[in-house]
Amino acid sequence: MPSNSKFSYIHHEIVPVENAFLHVRDLSIQRGYGIFDFFKIHDGHPYFLDDYLDRFYNSAAIMHLTVPHTREELKSVIYTLIEKNDIAESGIKMILTGGYSEDGYQPAEPNLIITQHSLTLPGEDQIKNGVKIITHEYGRDLASAKTINYSIGIWLINKVKESKAMDVLYHQHGIVSEFPRCNLFIVRKDNTIVTPAHHVLHGITRKNILKLAAKRYRAEEAIVTLDDICQAKEAFLTSTTKRIVPIVQINETQIGNGKPGEVSLSLLKDLIALEDADYKAKVF
Ligand SMILES: Cc1ncc(COP(=O)(O)O)c(C=O)c1O
């Protein structure tokens, strides 16, 4: 995520990025302890901000960290940062760390950091042709919290590249959960749309897709197995930056007819329209 912003928020103030420092004592550095969230900015306005703030406060509560601001104070900092940085299309990351620990283990007063970045969106060919994914047996700790621990995902980058895949799907004994940074959906042969119910981060895109899908199809959260994916008509991944990317191959097995499916592509259109409606509701 290339950073081209001029300002960040740290230690309760907005400072030039070159002065945005965290001390080595912070528990995020000492033990990888912290949470974060990330949302997109379009034309200076965040999409679905309240959903992301809900999840940020929820992740903090799960990890016994206190956000040092009320929701309104946090919104005010975010809007001030957006105005100062003035990058129309970008993403904002809010990180809450375990703080400056006395002994390198006990959490202290959390540090809140807010940074703004330019976005890397999926390439058109990924939407047009779909992508391959591989699988790995693993389950994220405290999966409903958006923690800063991405060790296994990062450790698997080389394997993903060597396999000419776009991403790696976690499963435990054949029951799938999610990708390091995305959720999974399948479209069964009867057009039911299913996303794994358990052991996942409740993605904001996942929530929006469930809502949009329910308007036209049967949509549910349920157990999804590796075999279900191989038998599915379509599959796709979702995230804030990627929106929807069709999956056409899992390991060496082709999914459906090996091409992005009609349901996946129509939901992508619906999602873009929903983002547009959210933007217009704020601006007009
Ligand atoms: C573990 C995990 N699952 C799913 C997602 C997708 O969530 P969202 O749609 O809110 O971006 C993310 C996002 O980073 C994630 O880290």
Side-chain angles (χ1 to χ4, degrees):
M1 193 190 288
S3 177
N4 54 2
S5 69
K6 296 186 281 292
F7 298 96
S8 294
Y9 179 81
I10 189 165
H11 306 313
H12 300 273
E13 55 178 353
I14 292 177
V15 298
V17 277
E18 55 273 23
N19 299 339
F21 292 114
L22 196 63
H23 196 280
V24 289
R25 264 200 349 254
D26 194 277
L27 211 53
S28 60
I29 297 169
Q30 295 293 335
R31 305 279 174 181
Y33 199 84
I35 58 122
F36 77 107
D37 223 298
F38 177 83
F39 51 87
K40 274 190 305 192
I41 308 294
H42 168 64
D43 194 20
H45 291 272
Y47 287 123
F48 315 117
L49 180 58
D50 281 308
D51 288 333
Y52 289 96
L53 290 179
D54 284 346
R55 186 172 63 185
F56 186 61
Y57 281 95
N58 187 47
S59 297
I62 294 171
M63 301 305 284
H64 313 304
L65 297 172
T66 306
V67 182
H69 290 305
T70 64
R71 179 183 276 255
E72 288 315 309
E73 286 167 354
L74 194 49
K75 277 188 181 177
S76 157
V77 172
I78 289 166
Y79 278 105
T80 310
L81 192 65
I82 290 173
E83 212 178 305
K84 279 189 81 104
N85 277 325
D86 192 22
I87 327 173
E89 309 304 314
S90 54
I92 285 205
K93 195 169 190 178
M94 310 176 285
I95 306 171
L96 189 70
T97 73
Y100 292 161
S101 177
E102 285 297 324
D103 61 358
Y105 197 69
Q106 297 283 326
E109 194 183 311
N111 280 308
L112 174 65
I113 303 158
I114 309 179
T115 54
Q116 195 168 359
H117 310 263
S118 56
L119 287 175
T120 315
L121 300 167
E124 254 175 53
D125 59 316
Q126 290 183 331
I127 312 288
K128 210 171 124 217
N129 302 319
V131 298
K132 172 186 176 183
I133 60 164
I134 56 169
T135 55
H136 184 77
E137 180 124 23
Y138 174 66
R140 283 176 55 245
D141 290 337
L142 303 160
S144 55
K146 195 162 163 72
T147 66
I148 59 172
N149 177 5
Y150 282 76
S151 297
I152 295 293
I154 293 169
W155 178 72
L156 285 164
I157 286 175
N158 288 347
K159 193 175 168 195
V160 171
K161 277 191 189 149
E162 280 160 19
S163 314
K164 297 196 174 15
M166 182 205 176
D167 213 340
V168 51
L169 180 64
Y170 297 145
H171 73 96
Q172 283 174 301
H173 309 295
I175 296 179
V176 302
S177 51
E178 61 188 339
F179 299 89
R181 295 177 294 167
C182 303
N183 290 113
L184 170 83
F185 281 80
I186 59 167
V187 183
R188 292 199 204 275
K189 293 212 169 72
D190 67 356
N191 268 357
T192 307
I193 295 173
V194 192
T195 190
H198 308 295
H199 221 96
V200 295
L201 182 79
H202 288 155
I204 306 306
T205 323
R206 175 184 182 274
K207 177 183 162 181
N208 285 333
I209 293 299
L210 276 170
K211 196 166 71 181
L212 292 168
K215 289 186 182 169
R216 278 193 278 140
Y217 310 96
R218 208 171 129 204
E220 59 188 32
E221 299 170 73
I223 288 175
V224 177
T225 64
L226 288 174
D227 194 47
D228 289 332
I229 303 174
C230 297
Q231 302 300 324
K233 201 167 90 168
E234 299 178 29
F236 57 91
L237 54 79
T238 65
S239 83
T240 298
T241 45
K242 297 187 178 69
R243 290 192 181 115
I244 284 182
V245 176
I247 302 165
V248 294
Q249 186 180 341
I250 176 166
N251 296 321
E252 296 319 313
T253 306
Q254 176 181 300
I255 299 173
N257 64 4
K259 294 197 178 90
E262 208 179 289
V263 177
S264 314
L265 296 177
S266 68
L267 285 170
L268 175 57
K269 274 195 197 144
D270 292 351
L271 179 63
I272 293 170
L274 188 72
E275 287 182 352
D276 205 37
D278 186 73
Y279 167 76
K280 285 188 177 132
K282 279 185 202 111
V283 176
F284 302 113

